[in-house]
Amino acid sequence: MSRLSLNTATTKNITLADAVTLSAEAGLTHIGLWRDRVAEAGLDKAVRLVSDAGLSVSSLCRGGFLTAPDEAGQAAALADNTQAIVEAATLGTRELIMVVGGLPAAAGLIGGTAVDPSAPGAKDVAAARHRVADRISELIPVAQEHDVRLVLEPLHPMYAADRAVLSTLGQALDLAAPFPAETVGVVVDTFHVWWDPALEASIRRAGTEGRLASYQVCDWNLPIAADALLSRGYMGDGYIDFETITRWVAATGYAGPVEVEIFNREIWESPAADVLATVKARYEALVEPHL
Amino acid sequence: MSRLSLNTATTKNITLADAVTLSAEAGLTHIGLWRDRVAEAGLDKAVRLVSDAGLSVSSLCRGGFLTAPDEAGQAAALADNTQAIVEAATLGTRELIMVVGGLPAAAGLIGGTAVDPSAPGAKDVAAARHRVADRISELIPVAQEHDVRLVLEPLHPMYAADRAVLSTLGQALDLAAPFPAETVGVVVDTFHVWWDPALEASIRRAGTEGRLASYQVCDWNLPIAADALLSRGYMGDGYIDFETITRWVAATGYAGPVEVEIFNREIWESPAADVLATVKARYEALVEPHL
């Protein structure tokens, strides 16, 4: 269990303090944090909670949302990501997971500044990707100053319009290529990338290029949930071949934590201790033997 | 309007006879057929209906579902696809759209033979792809005998588990590569491929290799519908940049029909004449100028 890390998104309805206690009592040594739980506790208290429990932070989720076409939106994104970088450093993790953002036309759907869908460029996915590259470039010195890595997360293509115009691991590596590997990495999240015909080659490339910063596991459940964001499931409940993907990740020499990050309403409504017990059992059966 | 083709899936609740009449009265010269409407009318009557109305068939949907791991399942798939090839030829179209099928573990979800998800290989996506290639290879002589093209359709990755382990246009072209271009082609359906960072290059490649057999348009709506299959929308209602993708298709020299194929409950429940009027207006505004 030395590499298993519970991501607080899996137990969304409990406080950071409770997630920390639960993880420590279960014998885990890492925890993956979302910024909402950190903000709720307060950054300084979050640091104390985690370190008093003897845990280390496997990653902070999330920075990103870098696709705003207007100057005000871009300035706001830089300010928010600078804050996220500081939070990651303060929490003692190098790994800041980045969800890069979707099309301007869909920004209103996720609480961003709504852009008229008929405005020029509002649905231009290539232009949105260029803006992501520009913002990453601007964030490099901030990340370097705080010794934090910007960890690009390719999201499943079903989120390409509203959440991330970065859809494959290969594309994430191409985006990362101009920047130092210690400053821009990538994460393999099984839910997002399992379907990709180039996955094996891209994982190998991430290893060779020294950019594999995090491995997150959860399953692809069907039918897709009414809120598509909540379709993730316990390993073994869906259709992902964890043995194969975990072997590919292990073959790169990746020796870091394995985060379990599940957005799922039914799991959120279950007692957190039961959730962690299931997570541990599934991890032990389906993931750990192949690491 | 000479290139617009109404796919009968867009007007699912009317008969083939009504869809044919509607198309002809609207001045269209093509129609895209699903096999369910053809079967309902009877093949010979379907042929007469279409030809009496002066229409030509732009494509027949669909063959495929080639991933069965067992001999009986494979024999059934070959028999069904042979029948589909004969139907396409009889209806006077060369283009048989192929949805290749998903993982054995998910076959039960779409009415196939359920496979125990814990059985060896039940979630092995690479093995499923190999079986697709094997079945395509076996179907080549049948397709050649009837002068029909097997048109591989990459489906959106959100259908990779249950409907198609073929997820990108590049992957479809790789799968087609060993076979003659007049016997194995590919279709660009905007809904399935709009998010792909390699789309421009893959469309160009499809053109260069002489495999671009069909262009289907509809939009990517959000939120994803409760039945994920029904998330398609009228062009302009979602997030796809039709100008850009249509220009890429046109740049290959593609001069064939443009099919509008929308699975959407609300559209199915609207009067078919209204649906076709909206399809025509959106096509005229958003697609035709860029062809």
Side-chain angles (χ1 to χ4, degrees):
Chain A
M1 288 295 151
S2 66
R3 295 175 64 184
L4 176 62
S5 179
L6 179 70
N7 184 296
T8 60
T10 306
T11 53
K12 194 180 174 66
N13 293 338
I14 65 172
T15 62
L16 178 61
D18 286 346
V20 163
T21 303
L22 189 71
S23 293
E25 286 179 358
L28 305 190
T29 55
H30 303 87
I31 188 165
L33 302 181
W34 268 66
R35 292 176 71 198
D36 56 352
R37 285 295 90 85
V38 172
E40 203 175 72
L43 181 58
D44 292 343
K45 188 177 167 203
V47 170
R48 278 200 310 280
L49 282 170
V50 170
S51 78
D52 287 356
L55 298 176
S56 66
V57 177
S58 48
S59 77
L60 181 66
C61 296
R62 60 180 196 224
F65 290 90
L66 303 171
T67 54
D70 59 306
E71 273 186 37
Q74 294 175 7
L78 289 176
D80 182 60
N81 280 279
T82 297
Q83 178 59 32
I85 289 168
V86 170
E87 287 172 24
T90 308
L91 289 160
T93 180
R94 293 202 73 239
E95 318 301 352
L96 176 63
I97 308 291
M98 304 287 285
V99 173
V100 303
L103 298 173
L109 294 180
I110 54 150
T113 306
V115 170
D116 176 1
S118 64
K123 300 179 184 178
D124 185 336
V125 63
R129 290 176 186 137
H130 283 300
R131 290 194 297 275
V132 171
D134 290 346
R135 299 294 86 69
I136 294 287
S137 175
E138 291 162 359
L139 285 166
I140 295 292
V142 187
Q144 287 176 328
E145 180 191 344
H146 294 278
D147 194 26
V148 163
R149 175 151 60 176
L150 307 174
V151 181
L152 303 174
E153 179 158 21
L155 256 58
H156 193 283
M158 74 177 168
Y159 306 122
D162 53 344
R163 284 193 166 77
V165 291
L166 190 58
S167 304
T168 70
L169 189 58
Q171 189 192 2
L173 289 166
D174 289 345
L175 175 57
F179 310 111
E182 62 273 20
T183 311
V184 182
V186 296
V187 47
V188 171
D189 179 316
T190 53
F191 178 88
H192 292 307
V193 300
W194 72 270
W195 60 272
D196 182 356
L199 186 60
E200 181 178 11
S202 294
I203 289 176
R204 196 183 312 121
R205 178 182 163 200
T208 305
E209 298 182 355
R211 296 193 193 268
L212 189 48
S214 174
Y215 181 40
Q216 297 181 329
V217 293
C218 77
D219 216 332
W220 171 265
N221 282 9
L222 286 178
I224 294 170
D227 177 346
L229 209 59
L230 309 186
S231 281
R232 301 163 74 106
Y234 290 123
M235 297 79 79
D237 281 0
Y239 296 93
I240 294 178
D241 176 352
F242 288 97
E243 171 169 348
T244 299
I245 299 178
T246 301
R247 285 187 187 282
W248 290 341
V249 168
T252 67
Y254 177 77
V258 180
E259 276 189 26
V260 176
E261 187 192 32
I262 312 178
F263 306 85
N264 179 307
R265 195 168 306 282
E266 203 179 319
I267 293 175
W268 287 344
E269 287 168 358
S270 307
D274 297 354
V275 170
L276 184 51
T278 304
V279 162
K280 283 180 72 168
R282 299 296 180 87
Y283 172 78
E284 215 161 14
L286 297 169
V287 180
E288 195 175 41
H290 314 297
L291 274 173
Chain B
M1 289 296 149
S2 67
R3 295 176 64 184
L4 176 62
S5 178
L6 178 72
N7 184 295
T8 59
T10 305
T11 53
K12 194 180 173 66
N13 293 339
I14 64 172
T15 62
L16 178 61
D18 286 346
V20 163
T21 304
L22 189 71
S23 292
E25 286 179 358
L28 306 190
T29 55
H30 302 89
I31 188 165
L33 302 181
W34 268 67
R35 293 176 70 199
D36 56 352
R37 284 296 89 85
V38 172
E40 203 176 72
L43 181 58
D44 291 345
K45 188 177 167 201
V47 170
R48 278 201 309 279
L49 281 170
V50 170
S51 79
D52 286 355
L55 298 176
S56 65
V57 177
S58 47
S59 77
L60 180 65
C61 296
R62 62 183 193 224
F65 290 88
L66 303 171
T67 55
D70 59 304
E71 273 186 37
Q74 293 175 5
L78 289 176
D80 182 59
N81 279 280
T82 297
Q83 177 59 31
I85 288 167
V86 170
E87 287 172 25
T90 308
L91 288 159
T93 180
R94 292 202 73 241
E95 317 301 351
L96 175 62
I97 307 291
M98 304 286 286
V99 173
V100 302
L103 298 173
L109 294 180
I110 54 151
T113 305
V115 170
D116 177 0
S118 65
K123 300 179 184 178
D124 185 337
V125 63
R129 290 176 186 137
H130 282 300
R131 289 194 297 276
V132 171
D134 290 346
R135 298 294 87 69
I136 294 288
S137 175
E138 291 162 0
L139 285 167
I140 295 290
V142 187
Q144 287 175 328
E145 180 191 343
H146 295 278
D147 194 26
V148 164
R149 177 151 60 176
L150 308 174
V151 180
L152 303 174
E153 178 158 23
L155 254 57
H156 193 282
M158 73 178 169
Y159 306 122
D162 53 343
R163 283 194 168 75
V165 292
L166 189 59
S167 305
T168 70
L169 189 58
Q171 188 191 3
L173 289 165
D174 290 344
L175 175 58
F179 310 112
E182 64 272 20
T183 311
V184 182
V186 296
V187 48
V188 171
D189 179 316
T190 53
F191 178 87
H192 293 306
V193 300
W194 72 272
W195 58 271
D196 182 356
L199 186 59
E200 181 178 11
S202 294
I203 289 175
R204 195 182 313 118
R205 179 181 161 200
T208 306
E209 298 181 355
R211 296 194 193 268
L212 189 47
S214 174
Y215 181 40
Q216 296 182 330
V217 293
C218 75
D219 216 331
W220 171 265
N221 282 9
L222 285 178
I224 293 169
D227 178 346
L229 209 59
L230 309 186
S231 282
R232 301 164 74 106
Y234 290 124
M235 296 80 79
D237 281 0
Y239 296 93
I240 293 178
D241 176 353
F242 288 97
E243 172 170 350
T244 299
I245 299 178
T246 301
R247 285 187 188 281
W248 291 340
V249 168
T252 68
Y254 178 78
V258 180
E259 274 189 26
V260 176
E261 186 192 33
I262 312 178
F263 305 85
N264 179 306
R265 195 167 307 282
E266 203 180 320
I267 293 175
W268 286 345
E269 288 168 359
S270 306
D274 297 353
V275 170
L276 184 52
T278 304
V279 162
K280 283 181 71 168
R282 300 296 179 88
Y283 171 79
E284 214 160 13
L286 297 169
V287 180
E288 196 175 40
H290 314 296
L291 273 174

